[in-house]
Amino acid sequence: VEGFKKALTIRCGSLLSAWRTGLDLDGNGRLTHGEFCVALQRLGLFGDVKGLWKELCKSVDKKDLDKGAGFLVFADLDPEIDAQLHELHTKLEQMYGNLLLAWVKVFDTKGSGLVNEDQFMKACVGAGFSKDARALFHIVKPGKEKVYLTLKDFDRKAYLAHSRGDFRMLSEQERPTYGKKALEMSFDERKEAGF
């Protein structure tokens, strides 16, 4: 697992960049076993794919992993950075309602679409982020050669909402599931959930 993480970091700059640009191409926040296999092949990483899948996938019962069940999330690759991103996003959503409004109001105040390290750090400190904002900036930015972040680098859902002019991010909200699968829901519950 450590060799896999090191290979991803060398190839993409960070595990987060590898997740966003090499593994989770559809941006839904998780990888199925099939997506994982295709991503490894595309990245030119070969070896015991099934064994690696079993070691990485922490959210699924081990007996189901043999059948290729379950999915991989970024927290399985880098729980520390995932926790930092979650903390920052939660604080920003509490202060501004959503990440797109936070981006517009405190990160990209000039409207250039680009945020440098100083702007990022100032916004993080203003939000009450408790970790190292400078280190997080360098992890979030794609590649070592760039000196700025874009909205797409910061948060994919906010970027997609912005491209639609949806500043309240209504189209990117989680749909209610009532703790049930689609077939277990009533008609009204399915209708409200958007099925």
Side-chain angles (χ1 to χ4, degrees), residues 89-180:
H89 289 180
T90 300
K91 289 181 184 279
L92 291 170
E93 286 171 348
Q94 289 171 351
M95 290 180 78
Y96 300 100
N98 66 51
L99 294 177
L100 178 53
L101 289 177
W103 176 264
V104 171
K105 290 181 179 180
V106 294
F107 286 95
D108 185 21
T109 55
K110 297 175 186 173
S112 66
L114 305 173
V115 172
N116 64 29
E117 184 177 327
D118 292 335
Q119 291 169 297
F120 184 83
M121 288 177 52
K122 183 179 175 185
C124 289
V125 169
F129 182 60
S130 65
K131 306 292 188 228
D132 184 2
R134 182 182 311 268
L136 186 62
F137 174 82
H138 289 287
I139 289 168
V140 172
K141 74 181 173 88
K144 295 177 182 177
E145 69 282 350
K146 289 197 176 182
V147 294
Y148 57 83
L149 281 180
T150 64
L151 179 57
K152 188 175 183 179
D153 304 329
F154 179 65
D155 185 70
R156 182 176 168 84
K157 289 182 177 182
Y159 168 76
L160 293 173
H162 183 265
S163 69
R164 290 188 293 275
D166 179 12
F167 282 87
R168 294 188 323 185
M169 291 185 66
L170 297 175
S171 59
E172 294 298 330
Q173 292 178 354
E174 295 293 323
R175 307 248 189 256
T177 61
Y178 305 102
K180 302 176 185 175

Side-chain angles (χ1 to χ4, degrees), residues 176-186 189-190 193 195:
T177 61
Y178 305 102
K180 302 176 185 175
K181 295 180 181 177
L183 293 175
E184 296 170 342
M185 289 185 206
S186 70
E189 290 171 337
R190 285 194 311 274
F195 288 105

Side-chain angles (χ1 to χ4, degrees), residues 40-124:
L40 291 185
Q41 186 176 17
R42 188 179 52 255
L43 290 169
L45 300 172
F46 301 98
D48 182 13
V49 176
K50 193 172 185 178
L52 181 61
W53 174 260
K54 286 181 181 181
E55 286 188 53
L56 286 172
C57 235
K58 297 179 176 102
S59 57
V60 179
D61 189 12
K62 295 295 181 195
K63 64 180 179 172
D64 292 334
L65 286 175
D66 291 331
K67 304 172 192 168
F71 53 86
L72 183 67
V73 295
F74 180 66
D76 293 331
L77 277 181
D78 196 340
E80 183 181 332
I81 297 302
D82 185 66
Q84 288 183 29
L85 286 171
H86 182 72
E87 177 192 340
L88 178 62
H89 289 180
T90 300
K91 289 181 184 279
L92 291 170
E93 286 171 348
Q94 289 171 351
M95 290 180 78
Y96 300 100
N98 66 51
L99 294 177
L100 178 53
L101 289 177
W103 176 264
V104 171
K105 290 181 179 180
V106 294
F107 286 95
D108 185 21
T109 55
K110 297 175 186 173
S112 66
L114 305 173
V115 172
N116 64 29
E117 184 177 327
D118 292 335
Q119 291 169 297
F120 184 83
M121 288 177 52
K122 183 179 175 185
C124 289

Side-chain angles (χ1 to χ4, degrees), residues 21-52:
T21 62
L23 297 172
D24 184 28
L25 296 182
D26 62 1
N28 68 353
R30 63 180 181 239
L31 286 179
T32 64
H33 185 260
E35 288 175 312
F36 182 70
C37 293
V38 169
L40 291 185
Q41 186 176 17
R42 188 179 52 255
L43 290 169
L45 300 172
F46 301 98
D48 182 13
V49 176
K50 193 172 185 178
L52 181 61

